[in-house]
Amino acid sequence: MSTEPQKPIRRMTVPKLAARKGGEPIVSLTSYHAHTAAIVDNYADFILVGDSLGMVMHGMESTVGVPMDLMIMHGRAVVRGTQRALVVVDMPFGSYEESPNVAFRNAATIMKETGCGAVKLEGGARMAETIHFLVERGIPVMGHIGLTPQSSHVMGGFKTQGRDEDTWGTHEADAAAVAEAGAFAIVLEGMVEPLAAKITKQVAIPTIGIGASVECDGQILVLEDMLGLNARPPKFVKVYGDLLNGINNAVANYAQDVKDRKFPTEDEVYR
Ligand code: KIV
């Protein structure tokens, strides 16, 4: 047995992640629980506790109804389950748009209560002042533009952005504003490929695509979508697992065993 002292595991930091611009692609997934986070932690540079948890875990119609306490509860679980990845927690709808002061109070609460390393918020130029305010006061911010699910009521649904080339200028200005305000990375969601590629070349911070472009500096997917747990994942998702069927078969087999009175007893050893 080696007597070498073990090197302490160091978490990914915000500056290290930001330095990956144009380098090795950044691997990221969402996670909402300690046990899945512990698996994702072996592979991901950052893990997002996304407010998509409202829809994925709690059966909500959109992310609009997600409260702060839910983000904090799931954020804590993910931080507890991980050692390596930077954990980023989404600021929920209504917790940051009103003013930079309100945003700071809520972002500080999320960071103190969960132990996460950064927060993410949606919006481009309109959120630049707030991003700057938070970063100046010690809160690392990841931006999120393009398809911003918290604005789905204004957008009229979950629609791919940039199909009309006349709108590209607005998206480019949004990306520039978020980067100049001090965000360390920016999610480009549901955006036509050439626009996401163009923005990636224009900004000095890493872009993290989701249904965007292979030119992005990294990718994020919702874990349950790529695991095959969502019966109707977004079209752009490559599905790597078959958990829906796997869980269904396991539960069906269990139910059959119970009906057959195959109850495990204390002296039966299964492993
Ligand atoms: O809430 C979420 O999961 C997200 C990702 C889809 C980027 O914001």
Side-chain angles (χ1 to χ4, degrees), residues 91 96 119-123 127 130-131 134 141-144:
M91 296 197 69
Y96 62 93
V119 298
K120 175 168 81 58
L121 56 83
E122 296 182 6
M127 292 315 303
T130 297
I131 294 171
L134 297 186
V141 179
M142 178 175 282
H144 182 161

Side-chain angles (χ1 to χ4, degrees), residues 26 32-33 70 80 96 129 141 151 176-177 184 203 209 220 223 225 231 233 236 239 243 245-246 263 265:
I26 296 169
Y32 320 125
H33 352 76
L70 216 51
R80 277 191 215 114
Y96 62 93
E129 185 194 351
V141 179
S151 309
F184 68 93
V203 294
I220 182 160
L223 182 66
D225 287 348
F236 59 79
V239 179
L243 250 58
N245 284 322
F263 303 159
T265 59

Side-chain angles (χ1 to χ4, degrees), residues 188-256:
L188 306 181
E189 178 167 0
M191 188 180 270
V192 293
E193 213 278 328
L195 173 59
K198 196 168 180 215
I199 288 175
T200 299
K201 286 198 188 80
Q202 286 169 350
V203 294
I205 56 174
T207 58
I208 311 297
I210 169 161
S213 168
V214 292
E215 302 288 320
C216 287
D217 298 295
Q219 182 180 232
I220 182 160
L221 286 178
V222 169
L223 182 66
E224 283 75 357
D225 287 348
M226 62 78 90
L227 288 178
L229 201 50
N230 179 355
R232 280 184 299 281
K235 278 194 301 239
F236 59 79
V237 173
K238 180 171 172 187
V239 179
Y240 293 81
D242 189 17
L243 250 58
L244 205 57
N245 284 322
I247 293 175
N248 185 68
N249 293 343
V251 174
N253 289 339
Y254 168 77
Q256 193 56 53

Side-chain angles (χ1 to χ4, degrees), residues 29-32 46 48-54 56 63 71 90 120 122 142 144 147 149-150 187-189 208-210 220-223 225 236:
L29 283 163
T30 61
S31 173
Y32 320 125
F46 79 89
L48 175 69
V49 185
D51 61 353
S52 52
L53 63 82
V56 177
T63 56
M71 295 311 302
D90 255 343
K120 175 168 81 58
E122 296 182 6
M142 178 175 282
H144 182 161
L147 195 172
Q150 293 177 7
V187 170
L188 306 181
E189 178 167 0
I208 311 297
I210 169 161
I220 182 160
L221 286 178
V222 169
L223 182 66
D225 287 348
F236 59 79

Side-chain angles (χ1 to χ4, degrees), residues 24-44:
E24 188 193 344
I26 296 169
V27 178
S28 173
L29 283 163
T30 61
S31 173
Y32 320 125
H33 352 76
H35 64 292
T36 57
I39 299 168
V40 175
D41 195 42
N42 292 318
Y43 307 96

Side-chain angles (χ1 to χ4, degrees):
M1 212 171 79
S2 164
T3 51
E4 291 280 304
Q6 295 284 307
K7 270 200 187 154
I9 297 168
R10 295 207 191 283
R11 253 189 214 280
M12 171 63 82
T13 63
V14 163
K16 275 195 186 145
L17 198 95
R20 295 270 289 275
K21 175 73 188 174
E24 188 193 344
I26 296 169
V27 178
S28 173
L29 283 163
T30 61
S31 173
Y32 320 125
H33 352 76
H35 64 292
T36 57
I39 299 168
V40 175
D41 195 42
N42 292 318
Y43 307 96
D45 297 301
F46 79 89
I47 297 178
L48 175 69
V49 185
D51 61 353
S52 52
L53 63 82
M55 300 165 83
V56 177
M57 293 217 43
H58 297 274
M60 295 178 180
E61 287 285 315
S62 77
T63 56
V64 171
V66 174
M68 276 280 288
D69 55 357
L70 216 51
M71 295 311 302
I72 289 172
M73 190 173 71
H74 288 284
R76 275 189 194 136
V78 170
V79 171
R80 277 191 215 114
T82 56
Q83 303 182 71
R84 290 182 56 256
L86 174 70
V87 177
V88 181
V89 176
D90 255 343
M91 296 197 69
F93 179 67
S95 70
Y96 62 93
E97 301 87 336
E98 192 179 332
S99 71
N101 283 310
V102 169
F104 178 78
R105 197 165 315 124
N106 285 320
T109 301
I110 289 174
M111 291 198 69
K112 286 205 272 197
E113 297 281 327
T114 65
C116 72
V119 298
K120 175 168 81 58
L121 56 83
E122 296 182 6
R126 71 184 164 88
M127 292 315 303
E129 185 194 351
T130 297
I131 294 171
H132 182 70
F133 192 88
L134 297 186
V135 175
E136 285 262 288
R137 286 159 181 76
I139 300 195
V141 179
M142 178 175 282
H144 182 161
I145 64 163
L147 195 172
T148 45
Q150 293 177 7
S151 309
S152 62
H153 290 298
V154 174
M155 290 176 158
F158 297 90
K159 295 196 172 134
T160 303
Q161 301 295 298
R163 287 207 196 282
D164 176 359
E165 216 172 315
D166 289 348
T167 65
W168 284 19
T170 310
H171 294 294
E172 288 173 61
D174 277 341
V178 168
E180 276 158 29
F184 68 93
I186 184 167
V187 170
L188 306 181
E189 178 167 0
M191 188 180 270
V192 293
E193 213 278 328
L195 173 59
K198 196 168 180 215
I199 288 175
T200 299
K201 286 198 188 80
Q202 286 169 350
V203 294
I205 56 174
T207 58
I208 311 297
I210 169 161
S213 168
V214 292
E215 302 288 320
C216 287
D217 298 295
Q219 182 180 232
I220 182 160
L221 286 178
V222 169
L223 182 66
E224 283 75 357
D225 287 348
M226 62 78 90
L227 288 178
L229 201 50
N230 179 355
R232 280 184 299 281
K235 278 194 301 239
F236 59 79
V237 173
K238 180 171 172 187
V239 179
Y240 293 81
D242 189 17
L243 250 58
L244 205 57
N245 284 322
I247 293 175
N248 185 68
N249 293 343
V251 174
N253 289 339
Y254 168 77
Q256 193 56 53
D257 272 0
V258 175
K259 284 182 188 155
D260 294 344
R261 298 206 161 272
K262 288 186 187 156
F263 303 159
T265 59
E266 268 198 347
D267 28 298
E268 275 174 305
V269 177
Y270 286 93
R271 266 171 247 108

